[in-house]
Amino acid sequence: MPGPSNLTEYLQTLSPGRRELFDRLLAEVSAVETPEAISRLVFRAGQTDHPDYADAEAVFWKAVEQMYLRGAFSDGDLPVLFWGFHTLDLLGRRHSRGVLVTDRSLYVEGVDDLDAIPLSLASLGTSEIRIEGTALRVRDTPVDLAPTERVLAPDDRPAVARYLAAVIDTVRGTVAVTDPPVEAPASVEELVLASRLSSDFSLPSRPKDAKHLAKLSAKWKLPASDRPLASLSSATLAGVYGIAITDAALYSRDLMEDVHRTPLADITEITWDAEAKGFRIASDHRAPAVPAITADNREYAAALLTSLVRSAAR
């Protein structure tokens, strides 16, 4: 199942409390005065009244996809504002450059061929956002402003730093005074849907995935008393392999090997074992990786699997 294709779909994967906070944040950020000189490069979430671009919503979502979802520092962030622009590569593909603000982090991308740099909003000082020559510098990360010369005069560049500082203060202030309703802990499905590996997991609520889980359960001979909650698995001519989490245990199978089982209560933390090239579930249980697991997301996947096990064990 593909990931969200727009902001609305993304927000639907979040809890009601998170969506309520998003609405409050967006209202507060929209109230921050935007200097006219820099407004052409300001894109708020869901903005339909942009002064220059009819496709502002698409510009904002591309920034979310490229700067946040591609390498999320945490799952379920609330993206509210993008200040920036596009550059084109040799193939004519557009790349978002600038600053993306969420309720938890700042994502800064100013150099070609590098992922956005995430910075915790809680630890970032607004004085760390400044103009140095032809660059907007956020802490140690510069955003080259040369591509904006036609739409942003040199004298107006300091207004960008002041505006972003004001937005950050507003977001932090809104989050600090928000008293969200007490919600039930996230379920396994909610955690998967909010993750950037959502499309790589199988969930029983998805009809196509349900068939895969049924096949896995039959091939691995899982106990009828176990209720499958999610799997990170794949199938080949040699059978189904990967990881499955039920309401009782974590199961795994590598190609041409037997199924291994560890009760949820016996799992403390799942880690990536570089030497074994798989996930370490317990001292005597190693689980294989599937094609979706790459050098860029191994640690992230291990942390996510740990969260899924803890949720399933509740």
Side-chain angles (χ1 to χ4, degrees):
M1 181 176 177
S5 60
N6 54 52
L7 179 64
T8 299
E9 289 183 6
Y10 172 74
L11 293 174
Q12 288 173 347
T13 69
L14 306 181
S15 68
R18 293 293 288 162
R19 294 197 295 270
E20 183 180 334
L21 175 56
F22 172 81
D23 290 339
R24 287 198 290 271
L25 280 171
L26 190 55
E28 294 296 330
V29 168
S30 298
V32 176
E33 184 177 358
T34 305
E36 184 178 354
I38 71 168
S39 62
R40 189 169 185 175
L41 300 178
V42 173
F43 301 89
R44 296 190 304 274
Q47 186 175 6
T48 58
D49 60 349
H50 196 280
D52 293 280
Y53 301 110
D55 63 344
E57 288 183 279
V59 172
F60 176 83
W61 180 248
K62 180 175 284 293
V64 173
E65 285 185 316
Q66 294 184 337
M67 299 174 67
Y68 168 60
L69 294 179
R70 182 178 294 172
F73 184 68
S74 58
D75 288 327
D77 276 25
L78 304 174
V80 291
L81 182 130
F82 169 58
W83 183 91
F85 49 92
H86 287 157
T87 58
L88 298 176
D89 62 18
L90 294 176
L91 299 177
R93 295 174 299 194
R94 292 181 178 274
H95 297 273
S96 301
R97 309 296 181 200
V99 177
L100 179 72
V101 183
T102 80
D103 66 316
R104 297 168 177 156
S105 304
L106 210 68
Y107 288 83
V108 186
E109 185 160 351
V111 182
D112 290 347
D113 302 323
L114 291 179
D115 290 335
I117 305 299
L119 300 171
S120 170
L121 213 63
S123 64
L124 182 69
T126 51
S127 62
E128 295 180 278
I129 304 173
R130 59 197 184 278
I131 299 296
E132 289 187 356
T134 61
L136 168 67
R137 184 173 289 275
V138 183
R139 191 168 286 173
D140 299 323
T141 304
V143 178
D144 183 12
L145 298 179
T148 70
E149 287 178 345
R150 293 184 178 180
V151 296
L152 183 66
D155 290 345
D156 293 325
R157 289 169 181 167
V160 177
R162 291 194 297 269
Y163 174 71
L164 288 173
V167 168
I168 291 169
D169 281 342
T170 297
V171 170
R172 282 198 290 225
T174 304
V175 171
V177 302
T178 296
D179 185 19
V182 177
E183 300 181 28
S187 66
V188 168
E189 178 166 315
E190 289 171 336
L191 290 171
V192 168
L193 291 174
S195 78
R196 68 176 192 259
L197 291 176
S198 173
S199 60
D200 300 304
F201 275 83
S202 293
L203 294 171
S205 61
R206 300 168 175 165
K208 185 177 179 180
D209 290 355
K211 294 180 180 179
H212 174 77
L213 287 170
K215 180 179 179 181
L216 180 151
S217 298
K219 294 291 185 180
W220 290 11
K221 298 181 180 179
L222 301 188
S225 58
D226 277 29
R227 180 167 60 91
L229 301 176
S231 79
L232 183 62
S233 53
S234 187
T236 70
L237 294 176
V240 181
Y241 71 101
I243 294 172
I245 299 173
T246 74
D247 58 352
L250 184 148
Y251 296 85
S252 74
R253 177 183 181 271
D254 208 344
L255 292 174
M256 312 304 292
E257 292 188 6
D258 294 332
V259 175
H260 292 266
R261 178 184 188 274
T262 298
L264 298 178
D266 294 344
I267 301 174
T268 303
E269 182 179 16
I270 297 173
T271 59
W272 175 255
D273 188 327
E275 183 177 350
K277 297 181 180 180
F279 296 102
R280 183 63 61 183
I281 310 301
S283 59
D284 59 348
H285 185 172
R286 182 193 68 82
V290 296
I293 303 304
T294 66
D296 294 330
N297 64 22
R298 290 165 181 165
E299 300 297 335
Y300 172 85
L304 176 59
L305 287 168
T306 299
S307 297
L308 298 181
V309 165
R310 291 172 179 170
S311 177
R314 284 197 289 263

